[in-house]
Amino acid sequence: MSYILNVIIALFFTLSLSMKIRSLHNFKLEISSYKIVPMNLVPLSSILVIIVELNIIISFIFEQFGYWKQVACTLLLVIFSALTWMKNKRTGQNTCSCFGSVSFLNKFPFIRNLTLISFSIISLLLPKSEPSVEISYHILLFVIWVTLLIELISTHSLDRRLNDT
């Protein structure tokens, strides 16, 4: 059960990471909209977030770094939630663009992040089962495949809505 939660967490971070990489310019604009990082540090900040998310994905899929992966995941999600809350207070916007065209994941960021934090904590408390490297690679391919499928469906849905208007 712990590994299933880990895969779910990795899948969410993979979706988020994919969108950030595919639309790096928009991600940098999103970072600058929070107004906490000086403009000259926005490119570095975007790269650091991408590196942290990639490390979280790898650590959850390959069962690396013990409980530190849950600590990093929880801390990152708490920071993202706090930043979203601050932006909401300033602008009234209660969504994010973390998941790009997968718009249903951009809604209710606090509930989404709280759910992922819960999964992370629960996976920490459950007994561990360390998968083989081969199984981990299969899971990684599965996560990538599901990510691409979700992106394809979301893009198709968006295209359909644009064509209907």
Side-chain angles (χ1 to χ4, degrees):
M1 184 64 176
S2 173
Y3 196 65
I4 292 170
L5 293 174
N6 288 353
V7 170
I8 292 169
I9 292 166
L11 177 61
F12 273 88
F13 275 95
T14 303
L15 274 166
S16 175
L17 178 69
S18 172
M19 292 301 163
K20 287 176 176 89
I21 291 172
R22 285 179 3 138
S23 186
L24 191 57
H25 177 71
N26 288 344
F27 178 49
K28 289 176 185 176
L29 290 174
E30 180 77 13
I31 290 174
S32 65
S33 76
Y34 287 94
K35 299 186 188 288
I36 59 160
V37 176
M39 287 303 290
N40 63 332
L41 293 179
V42 167
L44 177 62
S45 299
S46 65
I47 290 169
L48 288 175
V49 170
I50 287 169
I51 289 170
V52 169
E53 286 192 352
L54 182 59
N55 281 313
I56 287 173
I57 293 163
I58 290 169
S59 66
F60 274 92
I61 289 177
F62 289 92
E63 277 294 328
Q64 297 296 307
F65 308 117
Y67 67 89
W68 287 107
K69 68 180 166 288
Q70 283 94 351
V71 170
C73 175
T74 300
L75 185 61
L76 186 63
L77 290 168
V78 166
I79 290 169
F80 285 167
S81 295
L83 292 173
T84 302
W85 180 79
M86 288 172 24
K87 184 178 178 183
N88 180 22
K89 286 292 182 197
R90 196 176 66 252
T91 66
Q93 183 182 2
N94 192 25
T95 61
C96 69
S97 61
C98 317
F99 291 91
S101 65
V102 188
S103 59
F104 70 93
L105 290 175
N106 290 327
K107 298 175 185 175
F108 312 111
F110 298 111
I111 294 170
R112 181 197 63 231
N113 289 352
L114 186 59
T115 302
L116 290 172
I117 289 168
S118 300
F119 286 177
S120 179
I121 292 169
I122 291 168
S123 82
L124 178 64
L125 300 174
L126 290 173
K128 304 290 175 265
S129 62
E130 218 169 291
S132 68
V133 173
E134 182 180 353
I135 289 174
S136 293
Y137 278 115
H138 288 280
I139 296 294
L140 178 61
L141 290 174
F142 172 77
V143 165
I144 291 169
W145 185 83
V146 171
T147 298
L148 292 174
L149 183 63
I150 290 171
E151 287 182 26
L152 180 66
I153 291 168
S154 294
T155 302
H156 176 71
S157 175
L158 180 62
D159 287 348
R160 188 194 261 158
R161 279 184 272 148
L162 290 174
N163 288 335
D164 288 345
T165 58

